[in-house]
């Protein structure tokens, strides 16, 4: 059993063999999800609570479907109607939920570190579904599975991550994972959105997109995180598209068989040309969504096994 974590708070604490353990198990779930009977009882009797303090389309529905297919009782907390609106602190909410004995808690929060803090107050396994600009581990894992399936490997690849790196938890989790698996990671964007400090993390930083895309096996585009910007980071969206939007001309500089990725939601015509996003010979954006369910099923199964072992040892 090579997955040793109690929680999935980020990619940072994971060892390469733990990443591989999640991806290998997720492969089984890809097959199950494509079959007629998608249901298992791996999490039978367990309760999963989803708490999303920030909006989400893909991630929340993906975790919900994943839990249901594993046979868990899944509850989505309606955060709009919750006591948070009445001023309850995150910790009080966590303690209240903890008293209901959940087994898996899936949390998204606008503040970096909030999910980690919460995990210290509860007796169940916590999964980070995105905390501020810090980490979004299941996104990086689903991206890794998508890359591994498309390229046949997850090491020694030339990977370009383009756009709003500064505000992106997706970029952070991805570059941590891709480095652990020994890939060459290139970050591309204007200096306002790709601070040079990223070079200290072992990445190559490019302001010129044409230069950065050369020979890339994977081109990962990111959304401009306007909700996390508090000033003028780009001159205009038109200018940004001209310099950093992925169009055919720029993509032709990448490897001939390069794949195009985007975590969604996409701003077509801002960071990516719609025809590239829809080109099934290039874009793996829909595969990313499919892999998301499988990866979340795998992560929840591995965490639930560890939780049950801890409980059995304590009994
Ligand atoms: N859905 C991803 C996230 O939650 C990416 C994005 O919002 O741009 O971070």
């Amino acid at each position: 059993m090579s997955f040793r974590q109690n929680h999935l708070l980020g990619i940072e604490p994971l060892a390469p063999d733990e990443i591989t353990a999640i991806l290998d198990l997720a492969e089984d779930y890809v097959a199950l999800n494509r079959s007629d009977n998608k249901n298992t009882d791996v999490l039978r009797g367990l309760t999963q609570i989803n708490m999303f303090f920030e909006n989400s389309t893909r991630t929340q529905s993906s975790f919900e479907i994943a839990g249901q297919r594993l046979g868990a009782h899944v509850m989505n907390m309606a955060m709009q109607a919750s006591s948070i609106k009445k001023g309850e602190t995150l910790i009080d909410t966590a303690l209240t939920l903890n008293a209901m004995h959940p087994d898996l808690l899936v949390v998204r929060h606008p503040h970096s570190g909030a999910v980690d803090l919460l995990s210290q107050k509860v007796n169940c396994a916590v999964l980070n579904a995105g905390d501020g600009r810090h980490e979004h581990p299941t996104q990086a894992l689903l991206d890794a599975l998508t890359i591994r399936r498309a390229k046949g490997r997850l090491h020694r690849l030339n990977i370009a991550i383009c756009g709003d790196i500064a505000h992106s938890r997706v970029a952070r989790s991805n570059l941590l994972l891709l480095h652990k698996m020994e890939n060459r990671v290139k970050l591309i964007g204007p200096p306002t959105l790709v601070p040079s400090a990223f070079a200290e993390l072992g990445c190559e930083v490019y302001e010129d997109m044409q230069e950065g895309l050369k020979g890339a096996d994977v081109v990962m585009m990111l959304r401009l995180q306007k909700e996390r910007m508090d000033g003028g980071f780009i001159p205009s969206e038109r200018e940004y598209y001209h310099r950093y939007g992925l169009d055919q001309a720029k993509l032709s500089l990448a490897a001939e068989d390069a794949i195009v990725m985007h975590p969604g939601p996409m701003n077509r015509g801002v960071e990516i040309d719609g025809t590239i996003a829809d080109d099934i010979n290039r874009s793996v954006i829909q595969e990313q969504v499919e892999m998301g369910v499988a990866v979340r099923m795998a992560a929840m199964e591995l965490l639930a096994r560890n939780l049950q072992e801890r409980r059995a040892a304590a009994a």
Side-chain angles (χ1 to χ4, degrees):
M1 170 69 191
S2 49
F3 188 79
R4 301 168 291 276
Q5 308 290 321
N6 295 341
H7 306 289
L8 182 61
L9 300 175
I11 297 297
E12 199 154 21
L14 300 185
D17 70 320
E18 293 180 296
I19 293 170
T20 303
I22 298 177
L23 302 188
D24 288 349
L25 181 59
E27 285 288 357
D28 295 345
Y29 284 121
V30 174
L32 181 85
N33 289 336
R34 288 182 180 180
S35 71
D36 289 341
N37 183 0
K38 301 171 179 51
N39 299 319
T40 66
D41 57 4
V42 167
L43 296 188
R44 196 183 43 193
L46 301 187
T47 303
Q48 169 191 338
I49 300 183
N50 297 335
M51 288 167 83
F52 280 66
F53 295 90
E54 235 186 29
N55 292 342
S56 167
T57 317
R58 261 157 294 270
T59 309
Q60 183 164 357
S61 51
S62 182
F63 266 113
E64 187 173 350
I65 289 173
Q68 281 170 355
R69 288 193 182 156
L70 292 171
H73 293 288
V74 186
M75 192 203 115
N76 286 309
M77 263 190 74
M79 299 316 297
Q80 298 305 326
S82 78
S83 295
I84 299 285
K85 291 274 168 242
K86 298 180 187 163
E88 185 173 87
T89 66
L90 176 66
I91 300 304
D92 283 336
T93 306
L95 294 176
T96 304
L97 285 178
N98 195 48
M100 298 180 201
H101 301 292
D103 304 289
L104 294 153
L105 212 48
V106 178
V107 187
R108 168 170 287 190
H109 200 279
H111 296 147
S112 304
V115 184
D116 194 331
L117 182 68
L118 195 145
S119 74
Q120 296 166 28
K121 308 285 174 194
V122 296
N123 305 319
C124 61
V126 176
L127 292 101
N128 180 1
D131 64 324
R133 54 175 88 171
H134 178 227
E135 281 232 38
H136 191 350
T138 55
Q139 177 72 46
L141 288 160
L142 74 87
D143 289 340
L145 185 60
T146 307
I147 294 171
R148 194 173 82 166
R149 289 170 65 94
K151 293 286 153 198
R153 66 182 199 275
L154 188 58
H155 60 277
R156 270 186 271 125
L157 290 165
N158 178 333
I159 300 178
I161 307 180
C162 319
D164 185 357
I165 314 282
H167 301 102
S168 173
R169 53 196 177 206
V170 175
R172 223 183 101 74
S173 289
N174 260 298
L175 69 88
L176 288 168
L177 187 152
L178 294 168
H179 272 148
K180 282 180 197 272
M181 305 315 271
E182 295 178 13
N183 294 283
R184 176 177 175 198
V185 181
K186 303 186 291 185
L187 304 179
I188 304 172
T192 44
L193 297 178
V194 189
S196 52
F198 275 96
E200 286 156 27
L201 296 174
C203 304
E204 295 166 41
V205 173
Y206 292 87
E207 188 174 347
D208 180 347
M209 188 162 181
Q210 271 86 351
E211 199 51 42
L213 284 180
K214 275 187 195 153
D217 300 303
V218 176
V219 180
M220 189 181 290
M221 302 306 300
L222 298 173
R223 183 176 68 89
L224 281 180
Q225 308 265 310
K226 290 183 210 155
E227 73 277 25
R228 292 186 224 286
M229 295 183 185
D230 51 9
F233 284 83
I234 56 165
S236 70
E237 287 187 357
R238 226 176 123 190
E239 168 72 12
Y240 182 80
Y241 180 68
H242 175 65
R243 293 196 62 194
Y244 296 105
L246 188 67
D247 55 16
Q248 290 296 351
K250 295 192 192 90
L251 182 57
S252 68
L253 297 163
E256 220 176 299
D257 59 351
I259 55 167
V260 174
M261 308 180 75
H262 194 302
M266 268 184 284
N267 291 311
R268 290 169 185 257
V270 179
E271 69 259 358
I272 189 165
D273 174 16
T275 57
I276 295 183
D278 298 334
D279 178 355
I280 54 166
N281 296 314
R282 290 294 208 162
S283 161
V284 292
I285 295 171
Q286 296 308 321
E287 278 89 336
Q288 288 175 268
V289 178
E290 182 186 1
M291 294 310 124
V293 178
V295 150
R296 290 174 178 122
M297 290 171 84
M300 290 200 288
E301 173 177 348
L302 293 171
L303 287 168
R305 274 197 228 161
N306 290 355
L307 178 74
Q308 283 163 329
E309 269 178 27
R310 286 201 303 284
R311 285 179 178 164

